[in-house]
Amino acid sequence: MFKSLLIANRGEIAVRIIRTARRMGLKTIAVYSDADANAYHVAEADEAYRIGPAPAAESYLRVEAILDACARSGAEAVHPGYGFLSENAGFAEACEKAGLVFVGPPASAIKAMGLKDAAKALMEKAGVPVVPGYHGDNQEGDFLAGQAETIGYPVLIKAVAGGGGKGMRRVDDPADFAKELKSAQREAGAAFSDERVLVEKYVARPRHIEIQVFADSHGQAVSLHERDCSLQRRHQKVIEEAPAPGMPDEMRKAMGEAAVAAAKAIGYRGAGTVEFIADASDGLKPDGFWFMEMNTRLQVEHPVTEAITGQDLVEWQLRVASGEHLPLTQKDVPLKGHAVEVRLYAEDPAKKFFPSTGKLLRLRTPANMPHVRTDMGVREGDDVSMFYDPMIGKIIAHGDTRLIALRMLRGYLSRMEVAGPKTNLAFLAAAIGHDAFMAGDIDTGFIDRHLDKLVPAGGVEPRVLALGVAAHMLMRRSQLEKSQGPGDEPHSPWAASDGWILGGHRSETLKFVVAGEEVALVVTPEDGGWRITGAGNADVLASAQLDDDHVLTATVDGVRLVAACVPRGPGFILAHEGAATDFEVVDPLDVDVISDADAGALKAPMPGKIVQVLVEAGAKVRKGAALVVMEAMKMEQTLVAGADSVVTDVHVGVGDQVEAGAALITFEEKDA
């Protein structure tokens, strides 16, 4: 076994690898970009080496920078994690030439599976079923459109060198094929420096089921059962579980054997995942699955496999890379209980899941839940950067049954406190608690089908408003008390902050911007607390205490509630039952706070790059019309018109880098 390991990655997976390597007695070495100088994975490693500026292309994707860090640190082995260079055959070859142990498959296996079209041809020869489609070299638009017609709509355009949902588009209408093809090619080129695509039949009720395989250098290969990754958004996995709900034993056996055959066909070594698409139209059947691709690395969702098998897959990787035999034979691989994983992202579900950035002002997880595991890539106080994937971390629950695991996970999510960037925490809790999901009625269209219930439109519950009022009143009282001078008499009536006046108590109207909407609430001191009336016909009685850790303990109409109150700017974030609600305090003397002077401009929601401008000055656009395509945090986002308008000016062009809040397009509303 080698003695030192450099992790050529960042974030959650780097921290995950470091912990196993440290337990095995290895020296751990991290690398970091300028944006990650104070990152979690850097703090966890024994040593860390700078490899370049913040953009991934200038740091984590630079093979020469990684090899230089290996040379400077004396590393004997390199673990690529997932993403970045993990499936780069050139990187694997460069490590081997430098005398380093590459913790992954041989470069030949990466090449064999790196291009989806060639991989499918190889799998057909190995007897693995594949999805009908065109996987050839002709990339001419009209030709591909013709192939799509032959295959039959709907079809799926997929980047040949793709992964993570990038460069992938579903097309239902032939009229949209050319536009979606260009978008897929552009995104594939930006992500993988390869614009080539393939076209496949889109399965009507698809289940995304994958098999974890492992192979050693002694000719042994095993399957560690399946994972169901059907809950996806924009072809990116959001929730994964193992085993797959409703999986018949004979289908599990057939898929496992097909996956092992795929691994052996390319002389595989290490951890890999063979991804299949299954038709769920009439239940799962042994003859109803087809090969999609093989990921020649450790997967993001590997913890659910670890939970049901009791194995540490990173340890398996390190042992196999050092030449050891697989720890288990196929007949000895256990399957215990059920595990579910959710991916916590910095994104705003209410704004079409647009990525969010900023400082994590609060990141707290509940204690005393031993069957729930968290794999975090950041800590409280860290920044979620615009340069990398917006995943904050993963939460994994394991139970004797699927329902037990889901209930534990939902309870855990409802007790988490996350404030700073917008997150999908409440969305995840809603998804795993949905009746259809609990019943196992899932496919890759689940999120789109139930989106209105998973992301409710607007509105804030009266008791959440009451918690916000209580938090504001207590923070204001604390500020008043701190502002008193050393000579002030604390028992003087002039020092009181309870709203008392001669003849009774004074009511006041508080104004907040809550979840983007202005709310006015009348607050009257009563019984040591406050009577709150106003928005949404709210009429509640609340009392509360706020401790030094910003934990709010309140009673609202006789119900005891706990929330976290995190100050930010002219207001605070209230974290309650897994949801984070922004309260911006409106200063009645500051008219600009509620001004709509900026209503005539489309602004950049975050820093990014302009990849397409779809309108010109003078154009008349309808509400919802696409105006600009922007690349941010590795994904393309389409910005649309908020109302029927006339474009007056276009301020950006293709290739421009813009900051958050920059005016991209200005317009005037059309006359009624």
Side-chain angles (χ1 to χ4, degrees):
M1 174 69 72
F2 38 82
K3 297 183 177 66
S4 57
L5 178 70
L6 183 141
I7 299 90
N9 217 295
R10 65 177 300 279
E12 171 269 323
I13 188 57
V15 175
R16 162 74 187 89
I17 295 166
I18 287 168
R19 289 180 176 170
T20 288
R22 179 189 295 139
R23 178 175 56 77
M24 295 176 67
L26 303 180
K27 177 182 177 181
T28 58
I29 303 160
V31 293
Y32 64 91
S33 70
D34 289 342
D36 280 341
N38 299 309
Y40 191 13
H41 75 281
V42 172
E44 286 288 289
D46 295 316
E47 293 180 1
Y49 291 79
R50 179 186 180 274
I51 53 172
E58 300 175 37
S59 50
Y60 295 104
L61 290 172
R62 288 180 59 217
V63 173
E64 65 275 13
I66 302 294
L67 295 180
D68 178 64
C70 290
R72 285 187 287 151
S73 65
E76 297 175 341
V78 177
H79 196 309
Y82 54 70
F84 293 136
L85 296 171
S86 63
E87 294 181 281
N88 185 307
F91 179 55
E93 289 176 336
C95 288
E96 292 171 8
K97 288 179 181 178
L100 297 162
V101 175
F102 181 74
V103 183
S108 58
I110 298 176
K111 289 178 181 176
M113 289 299 183
L115 299 178
K116 290 183 172 61
D117 52 353
K120 283 180 166 55
L122 187 61
M123 291 300 99
E124 282 184 298
K125 290 181 181 179
V128 179
V130 300
V131 179
Y134 176 73
H135 311 127
D137 296 327
N138 191 332
Q139 296 291 298
E140 198 272 322
D142 289 341
F143 175 82
L144 292 176
Q147 292 297 309
E149 291 281 1
T150 301
I151 296 165
Y153 285 89
V155 297
L156 199 61
I157 301 171
K158 298 171 66 175
V160 165
K166 299 174 184 64
M168 186 182 294
R169 298 291 187 275
R170 173 182 171 175
V171 188
D172 296 294
D173 188 335
D176 296 329
F177 186 84
K179 179 188 69 174
E180 296 296 346
L181 174 63
K182 289 181 180 179
S183 180
Q185 289 173 329
R186 185 170 55 247
E187 192 169 83
F192 313 112
S193 299
D194 188 342
E195 290 191 352
R196 291 178 299 156
V197 299
L198 53 84
V199 183
E200 291 182 342
K201 177 66 179 174
Y202 186 84
V203 179
R205 282 214 66 189
R207 291 268 295 273
H208 182 131
I209 300 176
E210 60 190 31
I211 302 290
Q212 175 72 63
V213 294
F214 243 99
D216 61 23
S217 55
H218 306 284
Q220 300 170 308
V222 298
S223 155
L224 280 79
H225 308 307
E226 80 279 2
R227 297 185 289 255
D228 193 310
C229 306
S230 297
L231 258 73
Q232 302 179 8
R233 181 188 53 76
R234 292 184 63 177
H235 307 293
Q236 285 192 307
K237 301 166 188 174
V238 177
I239 301 175
E240 302 101 352
E241 55 184 311
M247 170 67 78
D249 290 339
E250 60 271 25
M251 184 173 180
R252 176 175 295 119
K253 184 175 184 294
M255 292 185 78
E257 290 174 350
V260 169
K264 288 184 174 180
I266 59 172
Y268 203 75
R269 183 189 68 234
T273 298
V274 183
E275 300 194 351
F276 296 96
I277 189 168
D279 187 353
S281 300
D282 193 26
L284 297 177
K285 297 179 179 179
D287 60 351
F289 67 91
W290 301 274
F291 172 85
M292 288 198 302
E293 61 183 335
M294 182 176 185
N295 290 305
T296 53
R297 53 171 168 80
L298 195 68
Q299 291 280 89
V300 177
E301 57 271 20
H302 75 273
V304 293
T305 298
E306 293 184 323
I308 64 167
T309 61
Q311 305 299 307
D312 183 330
L313 299 193
V314 173
E315 180 176 343
W316 276 43
Q317 284 187 295
L318 298 177
R319 293 196 180 283
V320 166
S322 66
E324 296 184 20
H325 288 265
L326 289 177
L328 297 174
T329 62
Q330 188 66 65
K331 66 181 178 63
D332 296 322
V333 176
L335 198 168
K336 303 174 182 177
H338 199 97
V340 186
E341 171 184 294
V342 296
R343 302 186 187 191
L344 179 63
Y345 281 107
E347 60 186 11
D348 189 354
K351 294 184 177 179
K352 298 183 179 180
F353 296 91
F354 205 89
S356 183
T357 60
K359 185 180 292 294
L360 274 165
L361 302 174
R362 195 174 186 92
L363 180 58
R364 306 288 176 87
T365 56
N368 302 319
M369 296 190 72
H371 298 290
V372 180
R373 160 182 167 181
T374 57
D375 285 10
M376 293 293 174
V378 289
R379 303 155 297 183
E380 184 172 295
D382 286 350
D383 287 313
V384 177
S385 168
M386 64 168 281
F387 295 102
Y388 313 114
D389 187 277
M391 189 171 74
I392 293 171
K394 305 175 305 196
I395 302 97
I396 309 99
H398 179 239
D400 291 338
T401 68
R402 183 173 186 265
L403 286 179
I404 290 173
L406 288 173
R407 286 167 182 161
M408 283 194 299
L409 183 56
R410 190 158 189 252
Y412 193 92
L413 296 177
S414 70
R415 294 174 178 87
M416 285 187 70
E417 299 172 0
V418 187
K422 300 288 187 183
T423 77
N424 66 338
L425 181 59
F427 163 79
L428 293 172
I432 63 174
H434 192 284
D435 289 344
F437 184 79
M438 295 284 283
D441 181 17
I442 55 177
D443 56 60
T444 57
F446 179 91
I447 289 176
D448 289 339
R449 195 161 56 247
H450 300 290
L451 193 61
D452 58 337
K453 291 185 178 179
L454 303 181
V455 186
V460 180
E461 292 183 33
R463 72 177 187 178
V464 173
L465 292 175
L467 289 172
V469 168
H472 172 71
M473 298 298 286
L474 291 173
M475 287 191 294
R476 189 175 70 177
R477 179 184 299 173
S478 176
Q479 291 171 350
L480 286 172
E481 291 171 351
K482 289 177 181 178
S483 68
Q484 292 178 359
D488 292 344
E489 172 53 57
H491 302 295
S492 167
W494 306 111
S497 55
D498 58 1
W500 183 87
I501 59 174
L502 288 173
H505 284 81
R506 180 187 68 239
S507 295
E508 64 175 308
T509 300
L510 298 178
K511 290 185 178 181
F512 302 96
V513 175
V514 185
E517 297 183 5
E518 186 176 325
V519 176
L521 297 163
V522 178
V523 182
T524 306
E526 183 177 323
D527 295 336
W530 310 272
R531 172 69 60 183
I532 303 164
T533 58
N537 297 317
D539 185 354
V540 299
L541 180 64
S543 60
Q545 293 181 323
L546 187 66
D547 69 16
D548 293 338
D549 193 34
H550 302 291
V551 174
L552 181 76
T553 304
T555 300
V556 179
D557 280 347
V559 179
R560 184 181 179 278
L561 303 169
V562 178
C565 178
V566 185
R568 180 169 71 175
F572 53 92
I573 303 170
L574 189 79
H576 173 63
E577 292 188 347
T581 305
D582 284 298
F583 281 77
E584 181 181 351
V585 180
V586 177
D587 183 348
L589 301 179
D590 186 0
V591 296
D592 289 335
V593 172
I594 57 174
S595 170
D596 62 354
D598 294 330
L602 174 71
K603 294 187 175 183
M606 66 184 306
K609 179 182 178 181
I610 304 300
V611 296
Q612 198 173 9
V613 178
L614 304 172
V615 293
E616 297 178 347
K620 296 180 180 180
V621 296
R622 304 286 292 179
K623 180 179 180 180
L627 303 178
V628 173
V629 179
M630 180 177 171
E631 182 184 312
M633 298 179 85
K634 300 169 64 178
M635 297 294 290
E636 285 193 5
Q637 310 287 340
T638 300
L639 308 182
V640 302
D644 293 353
S645 314
V646 177
V647 175
T648 55
D649 288 291
V650 177
H651 303 286
V652 291
V654 174
D656 288 353
Q657 292 282 350
V658 297
E659 295 297 323
L664 310 179
I665 292 175
T666 51
F667 45 80
E668 59 184 15
E669 292 189 14
K670 293 170 63 177
D671 294 336

